[in-house]
């Protein structure tokens, strides 16, 4: 149902130009202020140099239309990576997004072992209506509610993580 292809400028720009409203609000909270699709594209494009993995997700049932971007990058800590996903309208692409969650949950353990990653961290804006459930469906576990984000420190993010090492 979905196809994961390497990052592509044109597909990424098409996604950012039609970003889901909640994803757009979340991205603004991350940046601490207003941003248009070109600002967000520039941020994502700049992250490509340090990416472990960067993909465009396409919906085959919609003619290969790009609907989401996924990036995995180093945190600077041994064996620890951080991930982000932004998508177009979550209602329109709900099947593709659900399929992406299933595929991430299935493929992440093998990919991480091969890449030497023991922990993947993700954060989402606490007011995002679908991101926490999406992350849980991907296999991430809730860790903490983190205050103090955004321009005035009024935003809160939720941190989730996946690990392939369990505590004794």
């Amino acid at each position: 149902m979905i196809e994961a292809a390497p990052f592509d400028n044109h597909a990424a720009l098409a996604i950012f130009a039609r970003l889901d409203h909640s994803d757009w609000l979340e991205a603004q909270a991350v940046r601490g202020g207003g941003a248009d699709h070109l600002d967000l594209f520039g941020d994502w494009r700049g992250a490509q140099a340090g990416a472990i993995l960067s993909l465009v997700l396409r919906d085959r049932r919609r003619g290969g239309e790009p609907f989401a971007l996924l990036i995995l990058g180093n945190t600077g800590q041994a064996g620890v990576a951080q991930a982000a996903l932004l998508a177009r309208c979550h209602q329109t692409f709900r099947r593709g997004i659900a399929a992406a969650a299933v595929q991430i949950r299935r493929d992440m353990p093998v990919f991480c072992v091969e890449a030497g990653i023991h922990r993947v961290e993700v954060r989402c804006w606490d007011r995002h209506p679908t991101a926490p459930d999406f992350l849980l469906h991907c296999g991430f576990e809730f860790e903490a509610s983190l205050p103090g984000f955004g321009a005035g420190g009024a935003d809160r993010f939720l941190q989730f993580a996946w690990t392939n090492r369990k505590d004794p």
Side-chain angles (χ1 to χ4, degrees):
M1 177 186 335
I2 65 167
E3 174 185 318
F7 177 85
D8 171 271
N9 284 327
H10 295 289
L13 191 53
I15 292 166
F16 281 116
R18 295 172 190 85
L19 203 58
D20 179 80
H21 185 68
S22 294
D23 283 12
W24 182 73
L25 291 173
E26 179 180 68
Q28 297 224 15
V30 167
R31 293 180 110 245
D36 66 16
H37 69 288
L38 296 174
D39 294 322
L40 300 178
F41 171 77
D43 291 347
W44 203 276
R45 184 67 184 102
Q48 297 307 304
I52 299 167
L53 178 71
S54 185
L55 301 171
V56 172
L57 304 182
R58 296 175 178 273
D59 189 335
R60 285 189 229 158
R61 293 187 314 166
R62 296 178 64 96
E65 189 173 3
F67 71 91
L69 295 165
L70 170 69
I71 192 167
L72 185 68
N74 287 310
T75 64
Q77 301 159 319
V80 181
Q82 57 189 350
L85 185 137
L86 291 173
R88 290 177 57 189
C89 178
H90 293 185
Q91 181 62 31
T92 301
F93 292 96
R94 67 187 176 280
R95 289 183 180 165
I97 291 169
V102 169
Q103 192 166 336
I104 290 167
R105 185 180 198 108
R106 183 190 68 223
D107 296 349
M108 186 166 42
V110 172
F111 176 85
C112 287
V113 166
E114 291 172 354
I117 298 169
H118 310 291
R119 175 181 174 84
V120 179
E121 298 175 345
V122 294
R123 291 183 185 149
C124 68
W125 187 43
D126 75 336
R127 290 186 269 169
H128 196 295
T130 59
D133 287 338
F134 173 78
L135 294 172
L136 292 170
H137 283 100
C138 288
F140 291 94
E141 294 180 10
F142 175 76
E143 288 191 323
S145 177
L146 308 171
F149 286 84
D155 286 302
R156 180 177 296 270
F157 276 73
L158 306 176
Q159 180 163 307
F160 295 77
W162 171 89
T163 62
N164 64 4
R165 305 272 191 229
K166 298 299 176 196
D167 293 331

